Amino acid sequence: MICFRDIKKEYRGSVVLDIPRLELELGRKYAIIGPNGAVKSTMIRILAGAIQPDNGSINISNDIKGDIAYMPQQPYAFGVTVLGNVAMAAQGSKEERRQQAMHSLTRVGMEGFAKAKGNRLSGGETQRMALARMLVQPHRLLILDEPASATDIAGNNMVEHALLSYWKEHGCTMVFSTHSLAQAGRLADTIIVLSNGNVVE
């Protein structure tokens, strides 16, 4: 179980996020949606531990606490090859890491970019490379901030397919923000609607 308790985040003296209580079940897929300014990214970043709330806490079950993967909306790309960017998150021998990385790149349709420089990709390509880096190993909890916001239609479809197949394979919990209600409907079991910093539905 993932439990939000009395979470508040302030900005310039105003409360921008206020979640008195929210519980997420393990093994399910949750989409966080809302209009621009609904602080979806703030909620995601607090859950991931990237920023701290001004009040309250999030309790995450011990069996998944140490196995969390987080992908920000603008992920980092290292100045090595795309294959090298993904392989750095893999495990095993050099050849095993290479094979794992290629498999993960294929999952997101980026195998043809393996030898390209990771820091010279477009925004959508960078997101797919970062997703491949996240998915190269099994994780119990995936936290993603707008994972397909910069992709075109084909790239968006690859991202969605990769996430669904990974979830089916590993049975992880997935929490992601999106501006697309259609994407939320395709990927999530439960949709969390934010408005003015509050969970309204």
Side-chain angles (χ1 to χ4, degrees), residues 76-78 80-83 85-86 105 110 112-130:
Y76 191 79
F78 296 94
V80 296
T81 65
V82 169
L83 183 66
N85 267 270
V86 178
L105 285 170
M110 287 288 289
F113 292 81
K115 295 182 179 179
K117 286 288 187 180
N119 59 355
R120 295 181 182 176
L121 300 176
S122 69
E125 290 163 354
T126 300
Q127 281 191 319
R128 283 195 284 154
M129 178 187 70

Side-chain angles (χ1 to χ4, degrees), residues 87-159:
M88 65 178 58
Q91 295 180 354
S93 67
K94 182 177 180 180
E95 179 58 23
E96 288 171 336
R97 294 196 306 272
R98 190 195 70 80
Q99 291 178 2
Q100 292 169 24
M102 280 303 300
H103 173 72
S104 198
L105 285 170
T106 301
R107 192 193 288 265
V108 299
M110 287 288 289
E111 68 274 17
F113 292 81
K115 295 182 179 179
K117 286 288 187 180
N119 59 355
R120 295 181 182 176
L121 300 176
S122 69
E125 290 163 354
T126 300
Q127 281 191 319
R128 283 195 284 154
M129 178 187 70
L131 182 60
R133 189 165 57 208
M134 169 184 270
L135 303 184
V136 76
Q137 287 292 316
H139 298 287
R140 299 294 306 280
L141 173 60
L142 299 185
I143 304 171
L144 308 100
D145 190 4
E146 298 270 10
S149 60
T151 62
D152 57 18
I153 294 175
N156 180 81
N157 292 339
M158 291 175 186
V159 167

Side-chain angles (χ1 to χ4, degrees), residues 43-79:
M43 182 176 174
I44 283 286
R45 293 174 69 195
I46 288 174
L47 175 59
I51 60 174
Q52 295 299 312
D54 294 308
N55 185 74
S57 63
I58 299 178
N59 298 318
I60 300 177
S61 298
N62 289 332
D63 58 337
I64 66 170
K65 189 175 292 185
D67 196 4
I68 300 172
Y70 166 56
M71 179 176 153
Q73 188 173 351
Q74 295 181 323
Y76 191 79
F78 296 94

